Structure formats: C-alpha cells, structure tokens
Amino acid sequence: MEVLEWRIISVLTVNDLCKRFTLPGGRVFDALANVSLEVKEGQFFTLLGPSGCGKTTMLRSMAGLETPDSGCISINNETVFNSANSTFVAANRRKIGMVFQSYAIWPHMNVFENVAFPLRVSQQRYSEQEVRRRVREALATIRMEEFETRQATRLSGGQQQRLAMARALVMNPRLLLLDEPLSNLDALLREAMRLELARLQKQHGITTIYVTHDQSEALALSDQIAVMNGGKIVQVGSPERIFDAPKSAFVADFIGSTNILQGTLLGKSDGRSTISWNGASLQSCMPTELSQGSQVAMSVRPASIRISEKQAPALNSVAGLVKQKSFQGTSIDYVIDVAGFDIRATGPAQTAFGIGENVTLHFRPEAIPLFDPAKDRAVAAHV
Ligand code: ATP
C-alpha cells in the first residue's frame, strides 16, 4: 500500500498561473490565464492546442525561462515559483532536462562533448571518469554509442534530435520538458522518432511534459493530455477520454476530424436526447445539461458514421448524395451532401460508393457528444 502511494506522487503542480504580455501599442494579451495542472510521477503529459494558445509560455514558465505574473509552480514538492512571496528558482537549479524545436546542438563539438556539456558547466563538479560514465550511459539510452567522436554537424536530423535528447537526459533530470521536438523532421523520421520517444520515456519512467499542436502525436504518446485554447486549459484527460468524450465542440474538432452539426434539443428521456437537425431526428445517449428547446451542437466523427445504399427513412439516419471521395488505402473518405450540408464520412475500401450515388448515413447514438454552442463560439456551425 505504501509503495502505491509513493508511486503516484505529483512531480509538478501549477496553480493559477498568469502571464500577460504587453504588445506594441500598449495592448495587453493574456498568454496564460489562471492555468492549473498536476502531473504525476512517470506520466507523459502533453500540452496540446492551436498556435498561440500559450503552450510554449507554459513550458518556459515551468523551466524558469519565463517569469509569470502570478501563480505558483512546484517541482517535486519544491516551490520553484511563487508570486505571493517572490520565489523564483533559476532555470539551472530546477533539475529539468529540455529539448526544443531547434535542438541547439553545438556545431563545433563532437557528439561526446555535446552530451558532456551540461555536466561540464554544472555547479556540481564531476570527475572526468564520472563524465565519461554518464555520457556513455546517455548515448547508450538513445542507441548512439558508436557516434561518440562524430562531429555534431555530420549527423542526420533524427540523430541530432536523439543527441539533444541524450544531452537532456545526462543530468538525470526529475522532469523532461519537450517543446515540439519532432517538428523539424520529415514524416517518416517523425514516425520513427515518435516510437523511440515512447520507448525511452516508458523504459526510464521519466516524467515528461510534451508540447505539440499535432493531435495524432498527442494521442499516440500521452498518458494525459491538457487541451489549451486562448491561454486556458479547456480539458484534461486520457487520450481515449478526450477523443470519445470531448467537453466542447472546440476539443472535439481539434482532437480529430469531426462534423459539428447544430440542431435543436427536442426532448430527453431514458438517458437519450432527441435532436432535430436539418429535418431529421437524431438520438444521442451522451449526457447534456441543456434543456428542451435549446440550440445544441453535435459532434459526429467521420469514422463513426455508417454508410449504406439508399434506405427508407429511419431514426438516426439521413439521406445524402456522394459529392467527393478520396481513397486512403484501407478506407475511403467521403464528402456527402445532406440537404445542403457537407458531411465527412469514412467507409471501408471494400464497399465503395460512386460520386453522385444516393446513400443513407447512419449515426450511432453513443457516438454523438452534445455541447452548448453558445460556449463554443470558436467552432463553425458545420463543416
Ligand atoms: P506555437 O504552437 O505557435 O508555438 P504556443 O501555443 O506555444 O504557439 P506561445 O508561444 O506560448 O504559444 O504564445 C502565446 C501567445 O503569447 C502568442 O499569441 C504569442 O504571440 C504571445 N507571446 C509569446 N511571447 C511573447 C512576448 N515575448 N511578447 C509578446 N507576446 C508574446
């Protein structure tokens, strides 16, 4: 029991963090507005959101590279920032490893010296023997032992990325901060490095905060995802939870392709809501606090729609006309015109429908989350 309690300690807590920038002309901008979060030991925690939502400001504040205006940050129960009593622990004393988009590798040094660099400039003195031991261990971790003497500039993009990782790991940090570390890599290498990153993180159990605007990267890597928008965290949860039960149309739209349909809530009974949309009657068994007669937004993912040949009208099905199709290998992505609305739907490659064909779309009631459109102005009424 004691062991279990020890294993779920928080490595990072952030409370009510605010950061305001003054723009040219004197206009102020809230990059972080009362952000709070908690990251547990060993977690891979991702900050995900559109460009400009405050992810990097958040990460830089954790690292000690940005001074927030107010709030509190603690790492391993040590307060590293607290506006209330002016606590600010310098970046090099926070015991954090960092990898940024630009790896900032020293071009005039070889691989060994690049990894050794943090040890050599550290306040703590390391013997040459200890430096060698730690560098070799870090290089082994990223499977680059044989590159020790290679000049850093003569490495491929993926190798430079791994080198940056080794340099971040060499100090045995208690927290690893990664700011879009894969964004400079081509698609193939990115995929390979994503797997490598997942392996490293799980093997070493190192608590990691990862910043990305790439939702597929976030879904693939994370234990927990915090979705950010406009300087705020709008939802925190496991990838599955965020994907299946988004709290807002913004999250549903951002975390994977979806159709946002706006209708009117006709009634609720037996845990099911009936919504009138575009002349059709749709049922959802996802919860909503909205009352009868309210405007309601529905999220219907393309992959949750079943497409069939034209059938007689029925509950949760609508008639449509295939407008566009694009072959994806094992599946086909369609754009289907439903009385003037473009609905994206994905069907298996084995049963293809032709452009101009009349079809019926079937919506699964358990796959239609409902939202209050008034709280989701960022999301368009339909695709
Ligand atoms: P991206 O994915 O594009 O890197 P982000 O989510 O990381 O974006 P931040 O870099 O944290 O966003 O920036 C948040 C907002 O704060 C942006 O609108 C940005 O323009 C603004 N900002 C960041 N740094 C400064 C600064 N030093 N002065 C003024 N505004 C800034």
Side-chain angles (χ1 to χ4, degrees):
M1 194 60 186
E2 262 178 35
V3 174
L4 274 178
E5 279 169 9
W6 173 79
R7 285 206 58 77
I8 55 164
I9 59 168
S10 294
V11 170
L12 174 80
T13 52
V14 173
N15 286 311
D16 268 336
L17 211 64
C18 295
K19 176 69 187 176
R20 177 170 281 190
F21 290 114
T22 305
L23 304 173
R27 202 165 61 85
V28 291
F29 178 83
D30 289 317
L32 296 176
N34 299 94
V35 178
S36 299
L37 58 83
E38 191 179 2
V39 180
K40 303 271 201 280
E41 193 188 27
Q43 268 185 347
F44 196 111
F45 190 99
T46 296
L47 299 172
L48 174 72
S51 182
C53 71
K55 307 178 296 287
T56 297
T57 306
M58 184 76 181
L59 204 73
R60 285 173 55 82
S61 301
M62 293 169 186
L65 301 173
E66 197 76 74
T67 310
D69 297 317
S70 59
C72 183
I73 303 173
S74 50
I75 298 173
N76 270 5
N77 289 327
E78 182 198 352
T79 302
V80 292
F81 173 76
N82 189 350
S83 56
N85 57 15
S86 304
T87 301
F88 184 90
V89 174
N92 62 347
R93 290 176 176 264
R94 291 193 185 190
K95 299 199 180 86
I96 278 173
M98 287 181 265
V99 179
F100 293 101
Q101 254 175 56
S102 55
Y103 318 131
I105 279 167
W106 300 109
H108 57 290
M109 291 181 188
N110 66 17
V111 166
F112 184 97
E113 285 307 326
N114 259 285
V115 180
F117 187 78
L119 299 168
R120 301 218 192 278
V121 299
S122 159
Q123 276 158 341
Q124 196 179 331
R125 304 292 302 164
Y126 293 94
S127 69
E128 202 46 41
Q129 194 185 6
E130 178 67 1
V131 170
R132 256 198 309 278
R133 189 188 67 74
R134 282 187 174 234
V135 171
R136 287 187 177 146
E137 198 177 285
L139 287 175
T141 303
I142 52 134
R143 299 174 176 157
M144 274 184 63
E145 303 97 312
E146 72 273 31
F147 290 89
E148 243 186 65
T149 55
R150 176 85 64 92
Q151 207 59 26
T153 44
R154 306 187 74 177
L155 296 172
S156 70
Q159 288 163 343
Q160 287 191 19
Q161 204 278 340
R162 278 149 75 192
L163 174 57
M165 201 69 166
R167 200 177 47 186
L169 292 171
V170 77
M171 298 292 287
N172 290 333
R174 49 191 178 183
L175 192 59
L176 189 57
L177 305 183
L178 307 175
D179 192 355
E180 310 228 18
L182 309 183
S183 63
N184 286 338
L185 306 177
D186 64 48
L188 259 181
L189 196 53
R190 205 179 159 118
E191 185 63 36
M193 286 310 299
R194 187 191 282 186
L195 292 171
E196 177 82 0
L197 195 57
R199 177 191 70 81
L200 264 179
Q201 199 270 337
K202 287 293 165 240
Q203 193 169 323
H204 295 267
I206 182 160
T207 312
T208 303
I209 317 281
Y210 191 81
V211 159
T212 185
H213 61 263
D214 180 331
Q215 48 93 11
S216 62
E217 215 161 85
L219 289 174
L221 288 168
S222 318
D223 295 310
Q224 292 277 293
I225 298 174
V227 183
M228 293 185 71
N229 190 23
K232 294 192 168 99
I233 290 181
V234 290
Q235 188 169 357
V236 184
S238 66
E240 295 80 4
R241 185 98 193 123
I242 298 234
F243 190 85
D244 292 336
K247 276 191 184 162
S248 64
F250 169 80
V251 174
D253 201 39
F254 194 76
I255 204 80
S257 110
T258 196
N259 299 284
I260 303 291
L261 312 177
Q262 296 217 3
T264 308
L265 189 61
L266 293 180
K268 297 197 279 189
S269 70
D270 298 334
R272 291 193 169 221
S273 306
T274 306
I275 303 105
S276 151
W277 174 75
N278 203 20
S281 185
L282 301 178
Q283 272 199 350
S284 162
C285 49
M286 302 288 254
T288 178
E289 278 158 17
L290 290 165
S291 51
Q292 196 174 336
S294 309
Q295 287 294 298
V296 61
M298 295 170 276
S299 162
V300 184
R301 297 210 183 271
S304 74
I305 298 174
R306 187 170 65 80
I307 313 166
S308 73
E309 288 169 357
K310 190 176 178 194
Q311 291 180 1
L315 188 67
N316 274 32
S317 69
V318 292
L321 186 84
V322 177
K323 221 171 133 178
Q324 283 176 30
K325 61 189 276 194
S326 91
F327 181 62
Q328 303 292 325
T330 53
S331 62
I332 298 176
D333 289 345
Y334 295 95
V335 176
I336 294 170
D337 180 339
V338 177
F341 284 82
D342 283 351
I343 302 274
R344 284 170 294 164
T346 304
Q350 303 91 302
T351 45
F353 298 96
I355 291 177
E357 193 169 337
N358 285 305
V359 292
T360 296
L361 302 184
H362 307 264
F363 298 146
R364 287 193 297 120
E366 61 278 12
I368 309 182
L370 304 176
F371 314 107
D372 180 352
K375 291 184 183 161
D376 259 315
R377 296 191 199 285
V379 175
H382 66 90
V383 285

